[in-house]
Amino acid sequence: MLVSAKEMLNKAREGKYAVGQFNINNLEWTKAVLLTAQENNSPVILGVSEGAGKYMGGYKTIVGMVNGMIEELNITVPVALHLDHGSYEGALKVIEAGFSSVMFDGSHYSIDENIEKTKEIIKITEEKGLSLEAEVGSIGGEEDGVVGAGEIADAAECKLIADLGVTMLAAGIGNIHGKYPENWKGLDFTALAAIKNATGDVPLVLHGGTGIPEDMIKEAISLGVAKINVNTECQLSFAEGVRKYIEAGKDLQGKGFDPRKLLAPGFEAIKATVKEKMELFGSVNQA
């Protein structure tokens, strides 16, 4: 059964580890993440962007697939199904479809409008027992058409949003979506410490988890980050696994063209990436 992310993130914040949000893009992705979470006794958050939602046939399709897999694969660890970088309209749609967690990304609005819209979503999520993530200071890079310049969030603005009663808060600290450029300056830990001091016990979220060095990940967790999002790294490992299979000519041998065989190396590559991240984040055996 799907659960809110609230309890798993509060436990993570108190225990000084982070829960991974792994974005899903199809059946292989979903199955790989769920099985790896179960094998490592780790709580997990399945992230779905609005673009991935359309690609997979709509939010109700995704809810049906995830709930079906949880039952059929005997997944007993806590699983939250979460909208990633949701618009106001997208947030309402996933709530109706049966998601257990929502991100409303109002970072591109003025702080006043971000507050007003976040308040409206909070009313609904609280009534239904769902977790809610809000964002202050847009995350750099691009994810499914959502572009952010990589702002450093203002701690006072973070406090205004946190005080509304959100479950978790994403705050820009120099992190970006996608691959990090060679001249990337790294995470701004002075800003993160200020945000932590301003927001108290609200679990913080680090977007753009792909490519951040291990020591920075661990320092971010020590400063209140309880949720780390990974998407690009799984995409890269999936693509590499499938590419090697095809380049080796295995798709031309026997029934190697069968999608169950063709996509299997990508599936295994995702599992390996997710396991590696769960170990780094410290969520293994925390279910």
Side-chain angles (χ1 to χ4, degrees), residues 13-15 63-64 70 99 131 158-159 173-174 187 196 209 211 232 252 273-274:
R13 188 201 71 242
E14 289 163 13
V63 170
I70 288 172
F99 276 48
S131 45
C158 289
K159 178 172 169 53
I173 53 167
L187 299 178
K196 167 66 180 161
T232 304
L252 304 174
T273 299
V274 171

Side-chain angles (χ1 to χ4, degrees), residues 234-262:
C234 287
Q235 291 182 349
L236 290 169
S237 59
F238 181 85
E240 184 183 13
V242 174
R243 186 190 319 113
K244 283 180 177 174
Y245 180 87
I246 291 171
E247 285 178 348
K250 292 181 181 178
D251 58 317
L252 304 174
Q253 297 168 13
K255 287 201 171 182
F257 54 82
D258 183 324
R260 287 170 288 185
K261 293 183 177 177
L262 182 68

Side-chain angles (χ1 to χ4, degrees), residues 174 176 179-187:
I176 66 169
K179 288 183 175 180
Y180 284 81
E182 284 183 19
N183 62 352
W184 180 55
K185 293 175 183 174
L187 299 178

Side-chain angles (χ1 to χ4, degrees), residues 215-230:
D215 59 331
M216 285 191 185
I217 292 280
K218 287 177 176 170
E219 189 166 351
I221 292 171
S222 76
L223 289 167
V225 166
K227 173 176 178 276
I228 301 177
N229 293 10
V230 178

Side-chain angles (χ1 to χ4, degrees), residues 100 237 268:
S100 66
S237 59
E268 293 298 339

Side-chain angles (χ1 to χ4, degrees), residues 66-75:
V66 172
N67 279 330
M69 280 195 193
I70 288 172
E71 184 180 344
E72 298 272 6
L73 299 174
N74 296 316
I75 304 298

Side-chain angles (χ1 to χ4, degrees), residues 165-177:
V166 298
T167 316
M168 52 193 136
L169 181 70
I173 53 167
N175 43 320
I176 66 169
H177 292 124

